[in-house]
Amino acid sequence: MLSIHFARHLMVAGLATLLWAAMAAAAHAAEPPLTLDAAVRRGLARAPQLDARTADTAAAREEAARAGQLPDPTLTFGLSNFPVTSPGAFSLRSDGMTARTIGVVQAIPSRTARRAERALASARVDAAQADSVVAAQSVRERIADAWIDDWAVEQQRELLLALHDEDALAVQIAQARLRGGEGGAADALAARTEIATLDNRIEAAGADLAAAQAGLQRWLGGPPGTLAMTQDFSRLPVEADRLASSVDQQAPLRVWAAREQVAQAALEQARAARHPDWSVSASYGHRAPGLSDMVMLEVGVSLPLFTRNRQDRGISARQAQWDAVQADHEDARRAQREVVARAVAAWQGWGQQIARYRQTLLPLARDRAQVALAGYRGGGSLQPWLDARRAEIELRLSYADALAARARLWAALAFLLPPEVTP
């Protein structure tokens, strides 16, 4: 009785598992194919790097909110006019001037220094925001690269799968000729070897596809599912001429303007050190009974008299740093122009090669293999078909590589301009 109950329990559990798997498969099938834009949006929403940059910006804003504020006051307490020699040494009552004091000291930096501190903090906020723009551009491009890796392997696998039926037909023809006494066993073995080699390439593409999906899942936080194969990599979302003329607006250059602002603000802060700082102190002194208490007020001012080896050195150092940032900015601008020009030229070159593949090379390779197979069926040699088939496989793999190369260059160019300046 127990075994029947246990068997019934297993059957119910098995049915529930099958039902759950069927529902999961149906839900997965109901999901629309994942486009490149959808993958980028999903990845951006789940990118820890952007959360980190957002936290950096929040930290910079908090620092900016407290910049330029007066420093905390200092509480002082002690003894004044305390005798330490005879007569009356170490007595609080032997001298009428002895008092126990408590007071407050407030340092007041110059208005110029506080203004410079606020400007430096504001520049650091801008720098943190620029870092966020650069990070978002990097994340978008890396998500696109991961999507393209998946897409390119799928393209390669489809190109190889399209040849499988013809390889199977060649095996059937070789076996039929062998049975009819018109062909040799070597041809039949060669045809079977060819289809097995093709199967190996397809299996390798399947393994590459699994690896590429793992790379995309790293950004999406879940399985990517089926990709939409409709992305057009033959047209850039921004014209190449505009990319060449908008280098300073591109994400990699955004950080340099912010760095110049930080260097300029640091220079102004160094110059502000030439302005005197002030301080105000007040103390209350309690004396022995019968004697009046006393109050003391003091105002202090710093005297930046010897600036040659102090403030002037600091100003010179900050000036040199600002000059260095400007020079580095110009170098980065020139390098970015080169990067864009090279990427555009390479992208256009791959586009021309892909057009030649589609219009000439792939059709010729297809015709050559079909003519060779027809000749073998008509009694000719198998070797011309084997040569044509291997050449066509290599050509298709080269075509898939060209598609991937152009797509990666497209991604590198498409995300240079942040979304707010992209039409």
PDB file of all heavy atoms in Angstrom, residues 173-209:
ATOM      1  N   ILE A 173      24.263  10.467 -52.948  1.00  0.00           N
ATOM      2  CA  ILE A 173      24.694  10.211 -54.330  1.00  0.00           C
ATOM      3  C   ILE A 173      25.889   9.261 -54.335  1.00  0.00           C
ATOM      4  O   ILE A 173      25.962   8.320 -55.143  1.00  0.00           O
ATOM      5  CB  ILE A 173      25.046  11.545 -55.028  1.00  0.00           C
ATOM      6  CG1 ILE A 173      23.791  12.404 -55.194  1.00  0.00           C
ATOM      7  CG2 ILE A 173      25.694  11.286 -56.381  1.00  0.00           C
ATOM      8  CD1 ILE A 173      24.077  13.812 -55.709  1.00  0.00           C
ATOM      9  N   ALA A 174      26.851   9.497 -53.420  1.00  0.00           N
ATOM     10  CA  ALA A 174      28.034   8.635 -53.364  1.00  0.00           C
ATOM     11  C   ALA A 174      27.646   7.202 -53.022  1.00  0.00           C
ATOM     12  O   ALA A 174      28.172   6.234 -53.613  1.00  0.00           O
ATOM     13  CB  ALA A 174      29.021   9.189 -52.345  1.00  0.00           C
ATOM     14  N   GLN A 175      26.724   7.037 -52.088  1.00  0.00           N
ATOM     15  CA  GLN A 175      26.302   5.681 -51.721  1.00  0.00           C
ATOM     16  C   GLN A 175      25.522   5.019 -52.855  1.00  0.00           C
ATOM     17  O   GLN A 175      25.668   3.812 -53.118  1.00  0.00           O
ATOM     18  CB  GLN A 175      25.463   5.732 -50.445  1.00  0.00           C
ATOM     19  CG  GLN A 175      26.267   6.092 -49.209  1.00  0.00           C
ATOM     20  CD  GLN A 175      25.403   6.252 -47.976  1.00  0.00           C
ATOM     21  OE1 GLN A 175      24.176   6.393 -48.080  1.00  0.00           O
ATOM     22  NE2 GLN A 175      26.025   6.257 -46.810  1.00  0.00           N
ATOM     23  N   ALA A 176      24.690   5.819 -53.540  1.00  0.00           N
ATOM     24  CA  ALA A 176      23.940   5.256 -54.658  1.00  0.00           C
ATOM     25  C   ALA A 176      24.882   4.825 -55.784  1.00  0.00           C
ATOM     26  O   ALA A 176      24.699   3.758 -56.398  1.00  0.00           O
ATOM     27  CB  ALA A 176      22.926   6.284 -55.175  1.00  0.00           C
ATOM     28  N   ARG A 177      25.883   5.624 -56.064  1.00  0.00           N
ATOM     29  CA  ARG A 177      26.840   5.244 -57.108  1.00  0.00           C
ATOM     30  C   ARG A 177      27.650   4.018 -56.694  1.00  0.00           C
ATOM     31  O   ARG A 177      27.986   3.162 -57.527  1.00  0.00           O
ATOM     32  CB  ARG A 177      27.784   6.406 -57.403  1.00  0.00           C
ATOM     33  CG  ARG A 177      27.096   7.564 -58.131  1.00  0.00           C
ATOM     34  CD  ARG A 177      28.088   8.607 -58.591  1.00  0.00           C
ATOM     35  NE  ARG A 177      29.054   8.033 -59.537  1.00  0.00           N
ATOM     36  CZ  ARG A 177      30.037   8.716 -60.100  1.00  0.00           C
ATOM     37  NH1 ARG A 177      30.200   9.993 -59.797  1.00  0.00           N
ATOM     38  NH2 ARG A 177      30.873   8.133 -60.939  1.00  0.00           N
ATOM     39  N   LEU A 178      27.947   3.927 -55.393  1.00  0.00           N
ATOM     40  CA  LEU A 178      28.689   2.762 -54.916  1.00  0.00           C
ATOM     41  C   LEU A 178      27.847   1.492 -55.070  1.00  0.00           C
ATOM     42  O   LEU A 178      28.347   0.453 -55.520  1.00  0.00           O
ATOM     43  CB  LEU A 178      29.088   2.962 -53.448  1.00  0.00           C
ATOM     44  CG  LEU A 178      29.866   1.814 -52.784  1.00  0.00           C
ATOM     45  CD1 LEU A 178      31.191   1.582 -53.515  1.00  0.00           C
ATOM     46  CD2 LEU A 178      30.097   2.107 -51.318  1.00  0.00           C
ATOM     47  N   ARG A 179      26.563   1.596 -54.728  1.00  0.00           N
ATOM     48  CA  ARG A 179      25.693   0.418 -54.876  1.00  0.00           C
ATOM     49  C   ARG A 179      25.504   0.054 -56.342  1.00  0.00           C
ATOM     50  O   ARG A 179      25.363  -1.119 -56.703  1.00  0.00           O
ATOM     51  CB  ARG A 179      24.330   0.700 -54.223  1.00  0.00           C
ATOM     52  CG  ARG A 179      24.375   0.721 -52.703  1.00  0.00           C
ATOM     53  CD  ARG A 179      22.973   0.686 -52.118  1.00  0.00           C
ATOM     54  NE  ARG A 179      22.199   1.859 -52.530  1.00  0.00           N
ATOM     55  CZ  ARG A 179      22.128   2.998 -51.840  1.00  0.00           C
ATOM     56  NH1 ARG A 179      22.805   3.121 -50.711  1.00  0.00           N
ATOM     57  NH2 ARG A 179      21.401   3.997 -52.280  1.00  0.00           N
ATOM     58  N   GLY A 180      25.503   1.062 -57.207  1.00  0.00           N
ATOM     59  CA  GLY A 180      25.318   0.783 -58.636  1.00  0.00           C
ATOM     60  C   GLY A 180      26.598   0.393 -59.343  1.00  0.00           C
ATOM     61  O   GLY A 180      26.590   0.188 -60.562  1.00  0.00           O
ATOM     62  N   GLY A 181      27.703   0.369 -58.615  1.00  0.00           N
ATOM     63  CA  GLY A 181      28.959  -0.031 -59.218  1.00  0.00           C
ATOM     64  C   GLY A 181      29.596   1.046 -60.063  1.00  0.00           C
ATOM     65  O   GLY A 181      30.555   0.774 -60.797  1.00  0.00           O
ATOM     66  N   GLU A 182      29.142   2.325 -59.939  1.00  0.00           N
ATOM     67  CA  GLU A 182      29.696   3.406 -60.747  1.00  0.00           C
ATOM     68  C   GLU A 182      30.744   4.215 -59.990  1.00  0.00           C
ATOM     69  O   GLU A 182      31.499   4.975 -60.596  1.00  0.00           O
ATOM     70  CB  GLU A 182      28.572   4.348 -61.201  1.00  0.00           C
ATOM     71  CG  GLU A 182      27.522   3.663 -62.074  1.00  0.00           C
ATOM     72  CD  GLU A 182      26.418   4.638 -62.448  1.00  0.00           C
ATOM     73  OE1 GLU A 182      26.525   5.820 -62.052  1.00  0.00           O
ATOM     74  OE2 GLU A 182      25.453   4.217 -63.107  1.00  0.00           O
ATOM     75  N   GLY A 183      30.755   4.097 -58.664  1.00  0.00           N
ATOM     76  CA  GLY A 183      31.701   4.874 -57.874  1.00  0.00           C
ATOM     77  C   GLY A 183      32.468   3.995 -56.914  1.00  0.00           C
ATOM     78  O   GLY A 183      32.114   2.819 -56.695  1.00  0.00           O
ATOM     79  N   GLY A 184      33.508   4.570 -56.324  1.00  0.00           N
ATOM     80  CA  GLY A 184      34.318   3.804 -55.407  1.00  0.00           C
ATOM     81  C   GLY A 184      33.971   4.099 -53.959  1.00  0.00           C
ATOM     82  O   GLY A 184      33.275   5.067 -53.641  1.00  0.00           O
ATOM     83  N   ALA A 185      34.486   3.242 -53.094  1.00  0.00           N
ATOM     84  CA  ALA A 185      34.245   3.426 -51.666  1.00  0.00           C
ATOM     85  C   ALA A 185      34.923   4.692 -51.156  1.00  0.00           C
ATOM     86  O   ALA A 185      34.466   5.308 -50.185  1.00  0.00           O
ATOM     87  CB  ALA A 185      34.750   2.208 -50.899  1.00  0.00           C
ATOM     88  N   ALA A 186      36.018   5.080 -51.811  1.00  0.00           N
ATOM     89  CA  ALA A 186      36.730   6.285 -51.363  1.00  0.00           C
ATOM     90  C   ALA A 186      35.848   7.523 -51.463  1.00  0.00           C
ATOM     91  O   ALA A 186      35.881   8.400 -50.588  1.00  0.00           O
ATOM     92  CB  ALA A 186      38.005   6.470 -52.179  1.00  0.00           C
ATOM     93  N   ASP A 187      35.047   7.603 -52.543  1.00  0.00           N
ATOM     94  CA  ASP A 187      34.153   8.754 -52.680  1.00  0.00           C
ATOM     95  C   ASP A 187      33.105   8.765 -51.574  1.00  0.00           C
ATOM     96  O   ASP A 187      32.784   9.819 -51.008  1.00  0.00           O
ATOM     97  CB  ASP A 187      33.473   8.718 -54.048  1.00  0.00           C
ATOM     98  CG  ASP A 187      34.423   9.119 -55.167  1.00  0.00           C
ATOM     99  OD1 ASP A 187      35.540   9.577 -54.847  1.00  0.00           O
ATOM    100  OD2 ASP A 187      34.048   8.971 -56.345  1.00  0.00           O
ATOM    101  N   ALA A 188      32.548   7.600 -51.267  1.00  0.00           N
ATOM    102  CA  ALA A 188      31.534   7.523 -50.212  1.00  0.00           C
ATOM    103  C   ALA A 188      32.126   7.926 -48.871  1.00  0.00           C
ATOM    104  O   ALA A 188      31.511   8.662 -48.087  1.00  0.00           O
ATOM    105  CB  ALA A 188      30.955   6.108 -50.146  1.00  0.00           C
ATOM    106  N   LEU A 189      33.346   7.462 -48.595  1.00  0.00           N
ATOM    107  CA  LEU A 189      33.997   7.836 -47.335  1.00  0.00           C
ATOM    108  C   LEU A 189      34.334   9.326 -47.299  1.00  0.00           C
ATOM    109  O   LEU A 189      34.199   9.984 -46.262  1.00  0.00           O
ATOM    110  CB  LEU A 189      35.265   7.003 -47.155  1.00  0.00           C
ATOM    111  CG  LEU A 189      35.055   5.493 -46.926  1.00  0.00           C
ATOM    112  CD1 LEU A 189      36.383   4.770 -46.907  1.00  0.00           C
ATOM    113  CD2 LEU A 189      34.304   5.240 -45.628  1.00  0.00           C
ATOM    114  N   ALA A 190      34.774   9.852 -48.446  1.00  0.00           N
ATOM    115  CA  ALA A 190      35.107  11.280 -48.498  1.00  0.00           C
ATOM    116  C   ALA A 190      33.865  12.140 -48.269  1.00  0.00           C
ATOM    117  O   ALA A 190      33.922  13.173 -47.583  1.00  0.00           O
ATOM    118  CB  ALA A 190      35.756  11.605 -49.829  1.00  0.00           C
ATOM    119  N   ALA A 191      32.728  11.748 -48.848  1.00  0.00           N
ATOM    120  CA  ALA A 191      31.488  12.499 -48.665  1.00  0.00           C
ATOM    121  C   ALA A 191      31.039  12.457 -47.215  1.00  0.00           C
ATOM    122  O   ALA A 191      30.597  13.465 -46.650  1.00  0.00           O
ATOM    123  CB  ALA A 191      30.402  11.951 -49.587  1.00  0.00           C
ATOM    124  N   ARG A 192      31.160  11.262 -46.589  1.00  0.00           N
ATOM    125  CA  ARG A 192      30.782  11.145 -45.183  1.00  0.00           C
ATOM    126  C   ARG A 192      31.738  11.951 -44.296  1.00  0.00           C
ATOM    127  O   ARG A 192      31.314  12.561 -43.304  1.00  0.00           O
ATOM    128  CB  ARG A 192      30.782   9.675 -44.764  1.00  0.00           C
ATOM    129  CG  ARG A 192      29.661   8.860 -45.420  1.00  0.00           C
ATOM    130  CD  ARG A 192      29.757   7.390 -45.071  1.00  0.00           C
ATOM    131  NE  ARG A 192      29.670   7.205 -43.626  1.00  0.00           N
ATOM    132  CZ  ARG A 192      29.840   6.020 -43.017  1.00  0.00           C
ATOM    133  NH1 ARG A 192      30.153   4.943 -43.750  1.00  0.00           N
ATOM    134  NH2 ARG A 192      29.732   5.921 -41.716  1.00  0.00           N
ATOM    135  N   THR A 193      33.013  11.967 -44.640  1.00  0.00           N
ATOM    136  CA  THR A 193      33.966  12.765 -43.877  1.00  0.00           C
ATOM    137  C   THR A 193      33.640  14.256 -43.987  1.00  0.00           C
ATOM    138  O   THR A 193      33.739  15.006 -43.001  1.00  0.00           O
ATOM    139  CB  THR A 193      35.397  12.509 -44.385  1.00  0.00           C
ATOM    140  OG1 THR A 193      35.711  11.125 -44.230  1.00  0.00           O
ATOM    141  CG2 THR A 193      36.408  13.360 -43.622  1.00  0.00           C
ATOM    142  N   GLU A 194      33.233  14.658 -45.174  1.00  0.00           N
ATOM    143  CA  GLU A 194      32.917  16.079 -45.379  1.00  0.00           C
ATOM    144  C   GLU A 194      31.735  16.510 -44.534  1.00  0.00           C
ATOM    145  O   GLU A 194      31.765  17.571 -43.895  1.00  0.00           O
ATOM    146  CB  GLU A 194      32.637  16.333 -46.860  1.00  0.00           C
ATOM    147  CG  GLU A 194      32.432  17.799 -47.210  1.00  0.00           C
ATOM    148  CD  GLU A 194      33.674  18.642 -46.939  1.00  0.00           C
ATOM    149  OE1 GLU A 194      34.794  18.101 -47.033  1.00  0.00           O
ATOM    150  OE2 GLU A 194      33.519  19.832 -46.611  1.00  0.00           O
ATOM    151  N   ILE A 195      30.681  15.687 -44.486  1.00  0.00           N
ATOM    152  CA  ILE A 195      29.513  16.073 -43.691  1.00  0.00           C
ATOM    153  C   ILE A 195      29.824  16.010 -42.200  1.00  0.00           C
ATOM    154  O   ILE A 195      29.328  16.820 -41.415  1.00  0.00           O
ATOM    155  CB  ILE A 195      28.283  15.190 -44.050  1.00  0.00           C
ATOM    156  CG1 ILE A 195      27.010  15.848 -43.480  1.00  0.00           C
ATOM    157  CG2 ILE A 195      28.431  13.769 -43.545  1.00  0.00           C
ATOM    158  CD1 ILE A 195      25.730  15.183 -43.929  1.00  0.00           C
ATOM    159  N   ALA A 196      30.700  15.045 -41.795  1.00  0.00           N
ATOM    160  CA  ALA A 196      31.087  14.992 -40.387  1.00  0.00           C
ATOM    161  C   ALA A 196      31.907  16.224 -40.004  1.00  0.00           C
ATOM    162  O   ALA A 196      31.757  16.776 -38.899  1.00  0.00           O
ATOM    163  CB  ALA A 196      31.883  13.716 -40.119  1.00  0.00           C
ATOM    164  N   THR A 197      32.772  16.666 -40.899  1.00  0.00           N
ATOM    165  CA  THR A 197      33.550  17.883 -40.639  1.00  0.00           C
ATOM    166  C   THR A 197      32.643  19.101 -40.514  1.00  0.00           C
ATOM    167  O   THR A 197      32.834  19.958 -39.654  1.00  0.00           O
ATOM    168  CB  THR A 197      34.577  18.102 -41.764  1.00  0.00           C
ATOM    169  OG1 THR A 197      35.439  16.957 -41.856  1.00  0.00           O
ATOM    170  CG2 THR A 197      35.407  19.347 -41.506  1.00  0.00           C
ATOM    171  N   LEU A 198      31.632  19.173 -41.403  1.00  0.00           N
ATOM    172  CA  LEU A 198      30.672  20.266 -41.317  1.00  0.00           C
ATOM    173  C   LEU A 198      29.915  20.218 -39.998  1.00  0.00           C
ATOM    174  O   LEU A 198      29.682  21.256 -39.354  1.00  0.00           O
ATOM    175  CB  LEU A 198      29.702  20.205 -42.496  1.00  0.00           C
ATOM    176  CG  LEU A 198      28.614  21.288 -42.516  1.00  0.00           C
ATOM    177  CD1 LEU A 198      29.235  22.679 -42.647  1.00  0.00           C
ATOM    178  CD2 LEU A 198      27.634  21.039 -43.661  1.00  0.00           C
ATOM    179  N   ASP A 199      29.517  19.019 -39.567  1.00  0.00           N
ATOM    180  CA  ASP A 199      28.819  18.880 -38.288  1.00  0.00           C
ATOM    181  C   ASP A 199      29.703  19.362 -37.137  1.00  0.00           C
ATOM    182  O   ASP A 199      29.214  19.979 -36.170  1.00  0.00           O
ATOM    183  CB  ASP A 199      28.412  17.421 -38.064  1.00  0.00           C
ATOM    184  CG  ASP A 199      27.248  17.006 -38.958  1.00  0.00           C
ATOM    185  OD1 ASP A 199      26.502  17.905 -39.410  1.00  0.00           O
ATOM    186  OD2 ASP A 199      27.086  15.801 -39.199  1.00  0.00           O
ATOM    187  N   ASN A 200      31.003  19.057 -37.228  1.00  0.00           N
ATOM    188  CA  ASN A 200      31.922  19.538 -36.199  1.00  0.00           C
ATOM    189  C   ASN A 200      31.954  21.067 -36.142  1.00  0.00           C
ATOM    190  O   ASN A 200      31.976  21.674 -35.068  1.00  0.00           O
ATOM    191  CB  ASN A 200      33.332  19.005 -36.456  1.00  0.00           C
ATOM    192  CG  ASN A 200      33.629  17.759 -35.641  1.00  0.00           C
ATOM    193  OD1 ASN A 200      32.853  17.371 -34.791  1.00  0.00           O
ATOM    194  ND2 ASN A 200      34.768  17.146 -35.913  1.00  0.00           N
ATOM    195  N   ARG A 201      31.994  21.697 -37.303  1.00  0.00           N
ATOM    196  CA  ARG A 201      32.002  23.159 -37.342  1.00  0.00           C
ATOM    197  C   ARG A 201      30.707  23.720 -36.769  1.00  0.00           C
ATOM    198  O   ARG A 201      30.705  24.737 -36.061  1.00  0.00           O
ATOM    199  CB  ARG A 201      32.199  23.647 -38.776  1.00  0.00           C
ATOM    200  CG  ARG A 201      33.625  23.417 -39.323  1.00  0.00           C
ATOM    201  CD  ARG A 201      33.712  23.923 -40.754  1.00  0.00           C
ATOM    202  NE  ARG A 201      35.022  23.763 -41.334  1.00  0.00           N
ATOM    203  CZ  ARG A 201      35.982  24.675 -41.301  1.00  0.00           C
ATOM    204  NH1 ARG A 201      35.762  25.825 -40.683  1.00  0.00           N
ATOM    205  NH2 ARG A 201      37.158  24.447 -41.868  1.00  0.00           N
ATOM    206  N   ILE A 202      29.599  23.068 -37.071  1.00  0.00           N
ATOM    207  CA  ILE A 202      28.308  23.525 -36.542  1.00  0.00           C
ATOM    208  C   ILE A 202      28.273  23.368 -35.027  1.00  0.00           C
ATOM    209  O   ILE A 202      27.777  24.243 -34.304  1.00  0.00           O
ATOM    210  CB  ILE A 202      27.159  22.753 -37.214  1.00  0.00           C
ATOM    211  CG1 ILE A 202      27.087  23.122 -38.705  1.00  0.00           C
ATOM    212  CG2 ILE A 202      25.832  23.055 -36.529  1.00  0.00           C
ATOM    213  CD1 ILE A 202      26.098  22.296 -39.502  1.00  0.00           C
ATOM    214  N   GLU A 203      28.806  22.239 -34.528  1.00  0.00           N
ATOM    215  CA  GLU A 203      28.864  22.039 -33.086  1.00  0.00           C
ATOM    216  C   GLU A 203      29.751  23.091 -32.427  1.00  0.00           C
ATOM    217  O   GLU A 203      29.445  23.603 -31.341  1.00  0.00           O
ATOM    218  CB  GLU A 203      29.391  20.635 -32.776  1.00  0.00           C
ATOM    219  CG  GLU A 203      28.417  19.510 -33.090  1.00  0.00           C
ATOM    220  CD  GLU A 203      27.166  19.566 -32.242  1.00  0.00           C
ATOM    221  OE1 GLU A 203      27.233  20.095 -31.108  1.00  0.00           O
ATOM    222  OE2 GLU A 203      26.113  19.092 -32.694  1.00  0.00           O
ATOM    223  N   ALA A 204      30.875  23.397 -33.060  1.00  0.00           N
ATOM    224  CA  ALA A 204      31.764  24.429 -32.516  1.00  0.00           C
ATOM    225  C   ALA A 204      31.055  25.782 -32.481  1.00  0.00           C
ATOM    226  O   ALA A 204      31.192  26.548 -31.507  1.00  0.00           O
ATOM    227  CB  ALA A 204      33.037  24.515 -33.341  1.00  0.00           C
ATOM    228  N   ALA A 205      30.288  26.075 -33.529  1.00  0.00           N
ATOM    229  CA  ALA A 205      29.521  27.320 -33.533  1.00  0.00           C
ATOM    230  C   ALA A 205      28.480  27.316 -32.419  1.00  0.00           C
ATOM    231  O   ALA A 205      28.216  28.355 -31.793  1.00  0.00           O
ATOM    232  CB  ALA A 205      28.857  27.519 -34.890  1.00  0.00           C
ATOM    233  N   GLY A 206      27.881  26.143 -32.152  1.00  0.00           N
ATOM    234  CA  GLY A 206      26.924  26.055 -31.056  1.00  0.00           C
ATOM    235  C   GLY A 206      27.575  26.325 -29.709  1.00  0.00           C
ATOM    236  O   GLY A 206      26.996  27.000 -28.845  1.00  0.00           O
ATOM    237  N   ALA A 207      28.794  25.797 -29.510  1.00  0.00           N
ATOM    238  CA  ALA A 207      29.515  26.077 -28.266  1.00  0.00           C
ATOM    239  C   ALA A 207      29.868  27.557 -28.160  1.00  0.00           C
ATOM    240  O   ALA A 207      29.751  28.164 -27.086  1.00  0.00           O
ATOM    241  CB  ALA A 207      30.777  25.224 -28.197  1.00  0.00           C
ATOM    242  N   ASP A 208      30.292  28.150 -29.272  1.00  0.00           N
ATOM    243  CA  ASP A 208      30.583  29.594 -29.266  1.00  0.00           C
ATOM    244  C   ASP A 208      29.326  30.395 -28.954  1.00  0.00           C
ATOM    245  O   ASP A 208      29.391  31.441 -28.291  1.00  0.00           O
ATOM    246  CB  ASP A 208      31.156  30.012 -30.624  1.00  0.00           C
ATOM    247  CG  ASP A 208      32.549  29.454 -30.869  1.00  0.00           C
ATOM    248  OD1 ASP A 208      33.205  29.056 -29.894  1.00  0.00           O
ATOM    249  OD2 ASP A 208      32.968  29.411 -32.046  1.00  0.00           O
ATOM    250  N   LEU A 209      28.176  29.915 -29.450  1.00  0.00           N
ATOM    251  CA  LEU A 209      26.921  30.606 -29.190  1.00  0.00           C
ATOM    252  C   LEU A 209      26.585  30.574 -27.703  1.00  0.00           C
ATOM    253  O   LEU A 209      26.157  31.585 -27.132  1.00  0.00           O
ATOM    254  CB  LEU A 209      25.802  29.965 -30.002  1.00  0.00           C
ATOM    255  CG  LEU A 209      24.403  30.579 -29.849  1.00  0.00           C
ATOM    256  CD1 LEU A 209      24.415  32.042 -30.242  1.00  0.00           C
ATOM    257  CD2 LEU A 209      23.385  29.810 -30.673  1.00  0.00           C
TER     258      LEU A 209
END
